[in-house]
Each structure stands twice: as structure tokens, then as C-alpha cells.
Amino acid sequence: MNVSIGTSDQSDTAVQPNIEHIFAALLGGLLVICTLIGNSLVCINFYLFMELRTVCHYFVVSLSAADVLVAMVAMPFWCALQVTSNRWMFSQQLRTFWNCMDILCGTASIMNLTAVSVDRHAAITDPFSYPNVMTSVRAVAMIIFVWSYAILVSGLRLATWPTKQGYMHFIACASFFLPLIIMIIMYTRIYLVAKQQVHRLRTGLSYAKDVKAAKTIAILIGLFVFCWGPFFAIILCYAYDHSCPVPGSLLNVIKWMEYTSSCLNPIIYSCLNRSYRRAFRKLYKLLLSRQRAESSSSTAGSRSKAEGSFSDSIVTTDSGLDRRRWRNNSIVRDCVRPKESRI
């Protein structure tokens, strides 16, 4: 998320990046790749495995989509700024586009976390009526509202404000403090309800899963506050005093902490969420077994061609048929097959 702090518009100034700037840009590129791979795997697993297509995971996929957008739209421009020592070398229109998209992606990520906390609150405080309260239609409606809210907050940057500080106060409240207050309220109620009822339910396995999911998201929110808190503190400092002395190196570190949050989300899911962890392992095994089968088929075909015997030609034909049958059995069909899709 960017509000044009710490960057200067010097498109006509020659830039001579040093080793430190190039190294920072390379680290940024690595962060972009890791963010894209991790969040794409979350979306792929959601698509392949039927067991992950639950209402809660709708919001997880929406969060991953926002993080993918961060890596594709926001991070590359910041990597370019690392090379130019925080001097903007592109057009002013492109800078406005980057500012708006950065705010949109960051707000969407934060609001998706808020939606997850609301969903977990409904699931744990009233687990029996939860399927009727949080339906797929309502979940999709919440996701549409989240993205509409993010677009509105981002678009208001283009509006005419009495002062620039006014929008800084607005973005801090709308994109950080208000969602943070909602999440704290939701998870505080979840903790109190879980503490009261966990001893009453002796066989509540699904209830225990909801509690564990809430703990997972709570850890995610803690990291979110750690990554985003310093950035919004800097925004408020600039809002109250535009000449606030913030070193450029410190501002770069705070900005990278913000972007790192988009890379940490899939890591948390794979490490703390058993369903996603099993899905990742199964996807890896499917890809590995497919690669081995194709490799063995290619090896058998090469041997038969070298020997040139009639019997080997038959083996080659059978191998080719087996390979075609294997390709017809796609990974998607393997994942959605009832007996094999359990994770």
C-alpha cells in the first residue's frame, strides 16, 4: 500500500545504481516469485480438491487472489524504486496507477482477513446454525463487498481532498484500524465461547477443527499486525508532520515488511492447516508419479527404437498406449475421484 511517501519524482535525473540497490531489487524479485508460487498453490489446491471447497476457504482463496495481485502489480514497481534509490523514473499517470492499485490490493488483503474472522466467529459461536447462516451465496456476497470496499477506498484517492493529510487519516482508519478492531472483537468472542464450551463437547471433532482454524487465523492476524503496523504508523507520522524525519533505509524495510505479509500467508496455511498440508503433499505426489511414468515410457521407447526388433516395437506401441492413457487421466480427475480425493 502506497500513499506517495518517501519517493521523489525525478524522472529526468540520471540514475547510477550501486551494488546495494541492485541486491535489494534482486531480493524483491525473489519475494515476488515466492509470493506468486505460494498463493497460486493455494488456489490450485482449492480447485483440485473437493474437500477444500468449504465456505471458510472461499475467503482464503480471495485472500490469495489479493496477494497474487500484490505480487503482479505492486511489487514490481517497488523493485524498480530500489534500483533508482526511491526516485520515480516513469510517468505521473503510471505513478497514480501504482498508488491506487497498491492501496486496492492492501485493503483487499486486510478486509479478506476481516471476513475470515467474521466467518470463524459464526462457525464457533453457533456451530449448529452455521450451515444455514453462512451459505455459499452469502460468502460470495461478502467477498464481493470486500473487493467493492477496497475499490472504493482506493478510488477515493483520486477525489479532491482539502489536504493530503486528510486522506492519510482516512486510509489509516479505513484500511487498518477499523478492520483490526473488528478482528480483535471477533477473535476475543471466539476465545471466550470456545473456553466455555470446549469442556462440554466430548465428541465435537468438527467444533475442534473450527477452534484450530481460528487459532491459525489468529496467528496470521498477529503477523499481519507485525508487518503492517509500522507502515501505518509512518503514515500517521506524515499526516501529523509532513517533515517527519524518516530515513530512506527504514522506510524501505517497513515497505518490505508490508509486502512480506503477502508471502507469509500460504506458508502459514501449509504449516498450520492440516487440510492444506495434505493437499500440498498429495499434489506433489501426483506430479512426481506422473513425471516418473512419462520418464519410464520415454526410456522404454528409446530402447525399442535402438534395438529395432519386432518384439520391442510391440513393447513401444504398448508403452505409447500406456502413456496416452496416463495423459488422459488428468490430475484434476485424480483429485476429484471419490476414493482418492481424501486428504
Side-chain angles (χ1 to χ4, degrees):
M1 190 177 296
N2 185 41
V3 288
S4 300
I5 59 175
T7 60
S8 58
D9 190 3
Q10 300 179 6
S11 57
D12 297 332
T13 305
V15 177
Q16 296 181 352
N18 54 29
I19 298 179
E20 181 182 354
H21 295 157
I22 296 176
F23 181 72
L26 291 177
L27 287 180
L30 181 62
L31 183 63
V32 170
I33 295 174
C34 294
T35 303
L36 284 175
I37 293 176
N39 288 284
S40 297
L41 285 176
V42 173
C43 298
I44 291 172
N45 282 324
F46 177 83
Y47 174 76
L48 292 180
F49 299 99
M50 296 291 295
E51 290 79 2
L52 294 180
R53 298 180 190 178
T54 61
V55 173
C56 175
H57 292 143
Y58 285 4
F59 303 107
V60 173
V61 172
S62 180
L63 174 63
S64 296
D67 293 332
V68 168
L69 202 59
V70 170
M72 293 180 62
V73 179
M75 290 186 185
F77 288 104
W78 188 254
C79 291
L81 284 174
Q82 300 307 297
V83 178
T84 60
S85 185
N86 288 344
R87 285 181 291 182
W88 187 259
M89 307 300 295
F90 308 102
S91 64
Q92 189 64 31
Q93 293 79 7
L94 192 58
R95 181 175 182 175
T96 302
F97 170 78
W98 175 52
N99 290 336
C100 293
M101 291 302 298
D102 202 18
I103 295 172
L104 188 152
C105 299
T107 304
S109 181
I110 296 171
M111 292 304 298
N112 274 295
L113 287 175
T114 307
V116 170
S117 67
V118 174
D119 171 74
R120 291 297 84 198
H121 175 269
I124 293 178
T125 57
D126 196 358
F128 299 105
S129 61
Y130 171 76
N132 297 325
V133 173
M134 188 60 68
T135 61
S136 298
V137 176
R138 292 178 180 176
V140 173
M142 287 183 62
I143 292 175
I144 293 175
F145 170 78
V146 164
W147 283 93
S148 300
Y149 180 88
I151 293 173
L152 177 62
V153 172
S154 176
L156 286 177
R157 188 187 183 282
L158 302 176
T160 302
W161 292 80
T163 60
K164 185 177 180 180
Q165 289 74 14
Y167 183 74
M168 288 184 175
H169 285 101
F170 169 75
I171 195 70
C173 294
S175 298
F176 184 74
F177 290 106
L178 179 60
L180 181 61
I181 291 173
I182 295 176
M183 286 187 281
I184 291 175
I185 293 175
M186 294 294 103
Y187 282 105
T188 300
R189 293 200 59 188
I190 287 174
Y191 174 77
L192 295 176
V193 172
K195 187 176 180 180
Q196 294 176 357
Q197 298 185 5
V198 69
H199 298 292
R200 301 177 184 177
L201 300 177
R202 299 180 179 178
T203 59
L205 297 180
S206 60
Y207 189 86
K209 290 182 179 180
D210 288 335
V211 173
K212 186 175 182 180
K215 292 180 180 179
T216 301
I217 303 300
I219 295 175
L220 180 63
I221 292 174
L223 289 175
F224 154 74
V225 173
F226 173 77
C227 293
W228 284 89
F231 178 75
F232 283 99
I234 292 295
I235 289 181
L236 292 179
C237 288
Y238 270 93
Y240 286 106
D241 183 9
H242 192 67
S243 61
C244 180
V246 180
S249 57
L250 177 61
L251 183 62
N252 288 336
V253 172
I254 292 175
K255 191 67 178 178
W256 283 123
M257 289 174 61
E258 169 198 335
Y259 286 144
T260 303
S261 64
S262 297
C263 184
L264 292 177
N265 293 341
I267 297 177
I268 294 176
Y269 299 141
S270 61
C271 293
L272 300 180
N273 190 296
R274 182 177 299 178
S275 298
Y276 271 104
R277 191 163 59 245
R278 290 178 178 176
F280 288 142
R281 286 200 299 263
K282 187 171 183 181
L283 180 62
Y284 173 76
K285 291 179 180 179
L286 286 172
L287 294 174
L288 185 62
S289 61
R290 180 167 182 165
Q291 183 179 5
R292 288 178 178 177
E294 291 182 350
S295 178
S296 61
S297 299
S298 300
T299 303
S302 300
R303 290 179 179 177
S304 63
K305 185 177 181 180
E307 295 177 359
S309 64
F310 179 75
S311 60
D312 288 338
S313 298
I314 297 177
V315 173
T316 304
T317 303
D318 294 339
S319 175
L321 292 174
D322 292 339
R323 183 168 55 184
R324 286 193 293 270
R325 294 192 190 101
W326 176 265
R327 288 178 177 175
N328 291 333
N329 294 328
S330 63
I331 296 178
V332 176
R333 193 190 309 175
D334 291 339
C335 294
V336 299
R337 190 176 299 167
K339 293 184 178 181
E340 298 180 4
S341 61
R342 298 177 183 175
I343 54 178

PDB file of all heavy atoms in Angstrom, residues 85-106:
ATOM      1  N   SER A  85      16.958   4.193  -6.210  1.00  0.00           N
ATOM      2  CA  SER A  85      17.102   4.860  -4.911  1.00  0.00           C
ATOM      3  C   SER A  85      15.882   5.717  -4.576  1.00  0.00           C
ATOM      4  O   SER A  85      15.984   6.889  -4.207  1.00  0.00           O
ATOM      5  CB  SER A  85      18.370   5.725  -4.887  1.00  0.00           C
ATOM      6  OG  SER A  85      18.581   6.269  -3.604  1.00  0.00           O
ATOM      7  N   ASN A  86      14.693   5.091  -4.723  1.00  0.00           N
ATOM      8  CA  ASN A  86      13.403   5.704  -4.387  1.00  0.00           C
ATOM      9  C   ASN A  86      13.086   6.941  -5.240  1.00  0.00           C
ATOM     10  O   ASN A  86      12.333   7.818  -4.818  1.00  0.00           O
ATOM     11  CB  ASN A  86      13.334   6.094  -2.901  1.00  0.00           C
ATOM     12  CG  ASN A  86      13.225   4.879  -2.009  1.00  0.00           C
ATOM     13  OD1 ASN A  86      12.904   3.784  -2.472  1.00  0.00           O
ATOM     14  ND2 ASN A  86      13.522   5.043  -0.732  1.00  0.00           N
ATOM     15  N   ARG A  87      13.631   7.005  -6.438  1.00  0.00           N
ATOM     16  CA  ARG A  87      13.300   8.094  -7.366  1.00  0.00           C
ATOM     17  C   ARG A  87      12.436   7.532  -8.492  1.00  0.00           C
ATOM     18  O   ARG A  87      12.813   6.580  -9.158  1.00  0.00           O
ATOM     19  CB  ARG A  87      14.585   8.717  -7.938  1.00  0.00           C
ATOM     20  CG  ARG A  87      15.304   9.619  -6.937  1.00  0.00           C
ATOM     21  CD  ARG A  87      16.548  10.224  -7.541  1.00  0.00           C
ATOM     22  NE  ARG A  87      17.587   9.224  -7.759  1.00  0.00           N
ATOM     23  CZ  ARG A  87      18.801   9.496  -8.245  1.00  0.00           C
ATOM     24  NH1 ARG A  87      19.108  10.735  -8.586  1.00  0.00           N
ATOM     25  NH2 ARG A  87      19.685   8.541  -8.401  1.00  0.00           N
ATOM     26  N   TRP A  88      11.268   8.142  -8.671  1.00  0.00           N
ATOM     27  CA  TRP A  88      10.309   7.662  -9.677  1.00  0.00           C
ATOM     28  C   TRP A  88      10.768   8.098 -11.069  1.00  0.00           C
ATOM     29  O   TRP A  88      10.902   9.280 -11.358  1.00  0.00           O
ATOM     30  CB  TRP A  88       8.922   8.219  -9.368  1.00  0.00           C
ATOM     31  CG  TRP A  88       7.857   7.644 -10.259  1.00  0.00           C
ATOM     32  CD1 TRP A  88       7.296   8.235 -11.357  1.00  0.00           C
ATOM     33  CD2 TRP A  88       7.241   6.365 -10.121  1.00  0.00           C
ATOM     34  NE1 TRP A  88       6.363   7.395 -11.914  1.00  0.00           N
ATOM     35  CE2 TRP A  88       6.305   6.237 -11.178  1.00  0.00           C
ATOM     36  CE3 TRP A  88       7.376   5.316  -9.221  1.00  0.00           C
ATOM     37  CZ2 TRP A  88       5.520   5.103 -11.349  1.00  0.00           C
ATOM     38  CZ3 TRP A  88       6.596   4.185  -9.384  1.00  0.00           C
ATOM     39  CH2 TRP A  88       5.673   4.086 -10.439  1.00  0.00           C
ATOM     40  N   MET A  89      10.957   7.114 -11.952  1.00  0.00           N
ATOM     41  CA  MET A  89      11.504   7.373 -13.284  1.00  0.00           C
ATOM     42  C   MET A  89      10.461   7.207 -14.386  1.00  0.00           C
ATOM     43  O   MET A  89      10.805   7.306 -15.568  1.00  0.00           O
ATOM     44  CB  MET A  89      12.684   6.437 -13.557  1.00  0.00           C
ATOM     45  CG  MET A  89      13.750   6.461 -12.478  1.00  0.00           C
ATOM     46  SD  MET A  89      14.492   8.095 -12.232  1.00  0.00           S
ATOM     47  CE  MET A  89      15.292   8.355 -13.801  1.00  0.00           C
ATOM     48  N   PHE A  90       9.204   6.965 -14.013  1.00  0.00           N
ATOM     49  CA  PHE A  90       8.171   6.746 -15.020  1.00  0.00           C
ATOM     50  C   PHE A  90       7.236   7.953 -15.064  1.00  0.00           C
ATOM     51  O   PHE A  90       7.474   8.967 -14.404  1.00  0.00           O
ATOM     52  CB  PHE A  90       7.390   5.453 -14.723  1.00  0.00           C
ATOM     53  CG  PHE A  90       8.275   4.258 -14.526  1.00  0.00           C
ATOM     54  CD1 PHE A  90       8.552   3.769 -13.246  1.00  0.00           C
ATOM     55  CD2 PHE A  90       8.847   3.603 -15.612  1.00  0.00           C
ATOM     56  CE1 PHE A  90       9.365   2.674 -13.070  1.00  0.00           C
ATOM     57  CE2 PHE A  90       9.661   2.506 -15.441  1.00  0.00           C
ATOM     58  CZ  PHE A  90       9.934   2.035 -14.162  1.00  0.00           C
ATOM     59  N   SER A  91       6.165   7.817 -15.824  1.00  0.00           N
ATOM     60  CA  SER A  91       5.232   8.931 -15.979  1.00  0.00           C
ATOM     61  C   SER A  91       4.396   9.116 -14.706  1.00  0.00           C
ATOM     62  O   SER A  91       4.256   8.193 -13.887  1.00  0.00           O
ATOM     63  CB  SER A  91       4.297   8.674 -17.167  1.00  0.00           C
ATOM     64  OG  SER A  91       3.481   7.532 -16.926  1.00  0.00           O
ATOM     65  N   GLN A  92       3.828  10.304 -14.572  1.00  0.00           N
ATOM     66  CA  GLN A  92       3.000  10.590 -13.408  1.00  0.00           C
ATOM     67  C   GLN A  92       1.706   9.783 -13.433  1.00  0.00           C
ATOM     68  O   GLN A  92       1.189   9.410 -12.377  1.00  0.00           O
ATOM     69  CB  GLN A  92       2.674  12.090 -13.366  1.00  0.00           C
ATOM     70  CG  GLN A  92       2.001  12.543 -12.089  1.00  0.00           C
ATOM     71  CD  GLN A  92       2.897  12.367 -10.877  1.00  0.00           C
ATOM     72  OE1 GLN A  92       4.115  12.462 -10.978  1.00  0.00           O
ATOM     73  NE2 GLN A  92       2.289  12.105  -9.716  1.00  0.00           N
ATOM     74  N   GLN A  93       1.177   9.487 -14.606  1.00  0.00           N
ATOM     75  CA  GLN A  93      -0.032   8.658 -14.716  1.00  0.00           C
ATOM     76  C   GLN A  93       0.229   7.240 -14.211  1.00  0.00           C
ATOM     77  O   GLN A  93      -0.608   6.648 -13.518  1.00  0.00           O
ATOM     78  CB  GLN A  93      -0.532   8.623 -16.166  1.00  0.00           C
ATOM     79  CG  GLN A  93      -1.059   9.943 -16.695  1.00  0.00           C
ATOM     80  CD  GLN A  93       0.042  10.898 -17.100  1.00  0.00           C
ATOM     81  OE1 GLN A  93       1.232  10.535 -17.104  1.00  0.00           O
ATOM     82  NE2 GLN A  93      -0.334  12.127 -17.444  1.00  0.00           N
ATOM     83  N   LEU A  94       1.400   6.713 -14.556  1.00  0.00           N
ATOM     84  CA  LEU A  94       1.741   5.372 -14.089  1.00  0.00           C
ATOM     85  C   LEU A  94       1.955   5.353 -12.584  1.00  0.00           C
ATOM     86  O   LEU A  94       1.618   4.371 -11.912  1.00  0.00           O
ATOM     87  CB  LEU A  94       3.001   4.876 -14.807  1.00  0.00           C
ATOM     88  CG  LEU A  94       3.334   3.383 -14.651  1.00  0.00           C
ATOM     89  CD1 LEU A  94       2.189   2.518 -15.153  1.00  0.00           C
ATOM     90  CD2 LEU A  94       4.625   3.053 -15.397  1.00  0.00           C
ATOM     91  N   ARG A  95       2.459   6.424 -12.042  1.00  0.00           N
ATOM     92  CA  ARG A  95       2.636   6.511 -10.601  1.00  0.00           C
ATOM     93  C   ARG A  95       1.286   6.533  -9.883  1.00  0.00           C
ATOM     94  O   ARG A  95       1.112   5.883  -8.857  1.00  0.00           O
ATOM     95  CB  ARG A  95       3.436   7.766 -10.255  1.00  0.00           C
ATOM     96  CG  ARG A  95       3.703   7.922  -8.761  1.00  0.00           C
ATOM     97  CD  ARG A  95       4.594   9.125  -8.501  1.00  0.00           C
ATOM     98  NE  ARG A  95       4.886   9.267  -7.079  1.00  0.00           N
ATOM     99  CZ  ARG A  95       5.721  10.178  -6.582  1.00  0.00           C
ATOM    100  NH1 ARG A  95       6.348  11.017  -7.402  1.00  0.00           N
ATOM    101  NH2 ARG A  95       5.935  10.251  -5.289  1.00  0.00           N
ATOM    102  N   THR A  96       0.337   7.281 -10.441  1.00  0.00           N
ATOM    103  CA  THR A  96      -1.009   7.294  -9.863  1.00  0.00           C
ATOM    104  C   THR A  96      -1.653   5.917  -9.931  1.00  0.00           C
ATOM    105  O   THR A  96      -2.310   5.480  -8.975  1.00  0.00           O
ATOM    106  CB  THR A  96      -1.878   8.327 -10.608  1.00  0.00           C
ATOM    107  OG1 THR A  96      -1.266   9.616 -10.523  1.00  0.00           O
ATOM    108  CG2 THR A  96      -3.276   8.389 -10.002  1.00  0.00           C
ATOM    109  N   PHE A  97      -1.454   5.227 -11.051  1.00  0.00           N
ATOM    110  CA  PHE A  97      -1.981   3.862 -11.183  1.00  0.00           C
ATOM    111  C   PHE A  97      -1.386   2.944 -10.128  1.00  0.00           C
ATOM    112  O   PHE A  97      -2.107   2.154  -9.501  1.00  0.00           O
ATOM    113  CB  PHE A  97      -1.677   3.333 -12.584  1.00  0.00           C
ATOM    114  CG  PHE A  97      -1.957   1.866 -12.762  1.00  0.00           C
ATOM    115  CD1 PHE A  97      -3.255   1.410 -12.940  1.00  0.00           C
ATOM    116  CD2 PHE A  97      -0.913   0.947 -12.729  1.00  0.00           C
ATOM    117  CE1 PHE A  97      -3.515   0.049 -13.095  1.00  0.00           C
ATOM    118  CE2 PHE A  97      -1.166  -0.411 -12.886  1.00  0.00           C
ATOM    119  CZ  PHE A  97      -2.466  -0.860 -13.064  1.00  0.00           C
ATOM    120  N   TRP A  98      -0.090   3.035  -9.919  1.00  0.00           N
ATOM    121  CA  TRP A  98       0.569   2.187  -8.914  1.00  0.00           C
ATOM    122  C   TRP A  98       0.061   2.494  -7.512  1.00  0.00           C
ATOM    123  O   TRP A  98      -0.211   1.587  -6.725  1.00  0.00           O
ATOM    124  CB  TRP A  98       2.081   2.379  -8.982  1.00  0.00           C
ATOM    125  CG  TRP A  98       2.810   1.634  -7.885  1.00  0.00           C
ATOM    126  CD1 TRP A  98       2.676   0.312  -7.561  1.00  0.00           C
ATOM    127  CD2 TRP A  98       3.749   2.183  -6.971  1.00  0.00           C
ATOM    128  NE1 TRP A  98       3.495   0.001  -6.497  1.00  0.00           N
ATOM    129  CE2 TRP A  98       4.165   1.135  -6.119  1.00  0.00           C
ATOM    130  CE3 TRP A  98       4.293   3.452  -6.791  1.00  0.00           C
ATOM    131  CZ2 TRP A  98       5.103   1.321  -5.100  1.00  0.00           C
ATOM    132  CZ3 TRP A  98       5.229   3.635  -5.785  1.00  0.00           C
ATOM    133  CH2 TRP A  98       5.621   2.583  -4.960  1.00  0.00           C
ATOM    134  N   ASN A  99      -0.079   3.778  -7.191  1.00  0.00           N
ATOM    135  CA  ASN A  99      -0.570   4.148  -5.873  1.00  0.00           C
ATOM    136  C   ASN A  99      -1.962   3.568  -5.613  1.00  0.00           C
ATOM    137  O   ASN A  99      -2.230   3.002  -4.547  1.00  0.00           O
ATOM    138  CB  ASN A  99      -0.606   5.671  -5.734  1.00  0.00           C
ATOM    139  CG  ASN A  99       0.781   6.278  -5.673  1.00  0.00           C
ATOM    140  OD1 ASN A  99       1.739   5.616  -5.299  1.00  0.00           O
ATOM    141  ND2 ASN A  99       0.894   7.544  -6.053  1.00  0.00           N
ATOM    142  N   CYS A 100      -2.850   3.696  -6.606  1.00  0.00           N
ATOM    143  CA  CYS A 100      -4.220   3.207  -6.433  1.00  0.00           C
ATOM    144  C   CYS A 100      -4.255   1.681  -6.335  1.00  0.00           C
ATOM    145  O   CYS A 100      -4.966   1.119  -5.493  1.00  0.00           O
ATOM    146  CB  CYS A 100      -5.095   3.685  -7.584  1.00  0.00           C
ATOM    147  SG  CYS A 100      -5.375   5.469  -7.622  1.00  0.00           S
ATOM    148  N   MET A 101      -3.504   1.000  -7.179  1.00  0.00           N
ATOM    149  CA  MET A 101      -3.502  -0.465  -7.152  1.00  0.00           C
ATOM    150  C   MET A 101      -2.863  -0.990  -5.877  1.00  0.00           C
ATOM    151  O   MET A 101      -3.290  -2.019  -5.326  1.00  0.00           O
ATOM    152  CB  MET A 101      -2.773  -1.009  -8.372  1.00  0.00           C
ATOM    153  CG  MET A 101      -3.496  -0.788  -9.690  1.00  0.00           C
ATOM    154  SD  MET A 101      -5.156  -1.519  -9.702  1.00  0.00           S
ATOM    155  CE  MET A 101      -4.768  -3.254  -9.470  1.00  0.00           C
ATOM    156  N   ASP A 102      -1.843  -0.314  -5.390  1.00  0.00           N
ATOM    157  CA  ASP A 102      -1.202  -0.731  -4.145  1.00  0.00           C
ATOM    158  C   ASP A 102      -2.171  -0.615  -2.980  1.00  0.00           C
ATOM    159  O   ASP A 102      -2.249  -1.504  -2.117  1.00  0.00           O
ATOM    160  CB  ASP A 102       0.026   0.140  -3.903  1.00  0.00           C
ATOM    161  CG  ASP A 102       1.029  -0.543  -2.974  1.00  0.00           C
ATOM    162  OD1 ASP A 102       0.924  -1.773  -2.811  1.00  0.00           O
ATOM    163  OD2 ASP A 102       1.904   0.149  -2.427  1.00  0.00           O
ATOM    164  N   ILE A 103      -2.933   0.474  -2.941  1.00  0.00           N
ATOM    165  CA  ILE A 103      -3.932   0.646  -1.887  1.00  0.00           C
ATOM    166  C   ILE A 103      -5.049  -0.373  -2.033  1.00  0.00           C
ATOM    167  O   ILE A 103      -5.518  -0.956  -1.041  1.00  0.00           O
ATOM    168  CB  ILE A 103      -4.492   2.084  -1.928  1.00  0.00           C
ATOM    169  CG1 ILE A 103      -3.392   3.087  -1.589  1.00  0.00           C
ATOM    170  CG2 ILE A 103      -5.658   2.240  -0.960  1.00  0.00           C
ATOM    171  CD1 ILE A 103      -3.802   4.536  -1.784  1.00  0.00           C
ATOM    172  N   LEU A 104      -5.479  -0.634  -3.269  1.00  0.00           N
ATOM    173  CA  LEU A 104      -6.554  -1.603  -3.501  1.00  0.00           C
ATOM    174  C   LEU A 104      -6.154  -2.993  -3.024  1.00  0.00           C
ATOM    175  O   LEU A 104      -6.915  -3.665  -2.313  1.00  0.00           O
ATOM    176  CB  LEU A 104      -6.906  -1.624  -4.987  1.00  0.00           C
ATOM    177  CG  LEU A 104      -8.143  -2.429  -5.422  1.00  0.00           C
ATOM    178  CD1 LEU A 104      -8.726  -1.827  -6.694  1.00  0.00           C
ATOM    179  CD2 LEU A 104      -7.822  -3.902  -5.665  1.00  0.00           C
ATOM    180  N   CYS A 105      -4.953  -3.443  -3.403  1.00  0.00           N
ATOM    181  CA  CYS A 105      -4.510  -4.792  -3.027  1.00  0.00           C
ATOM    182  C   CYS A 105      -4.329  -4.926  -1.518  1.00  0.00           C
ATOM    183  O   CYS A 105      -4.738  -5.922  -0.915  1.00  0.00           O
ATOM    184  CB  CYS A 105      -3.206  -5.130  -3.741  1.00  0.00           C
ATOM    185  SG  CYS A 105      -3.303  -5.130  -5.535  1.00  0.00           S
ATOM    186  N   GLY A 106      -3.726  -3.915  -0.906  1.00  0.00           N
ATOM    187  CA  GLY A 106      -3.528  -3.984   0.536  1.00  0.00           C
ATOM    188  C   GLY A 106      -4.833  -3.974   1.303  1.00  0.00           C
ATOM    189  O   GLY A 106      -5.026  -4.750   2.251  1.00  0.00           O
TER     190      GLY A 106
END
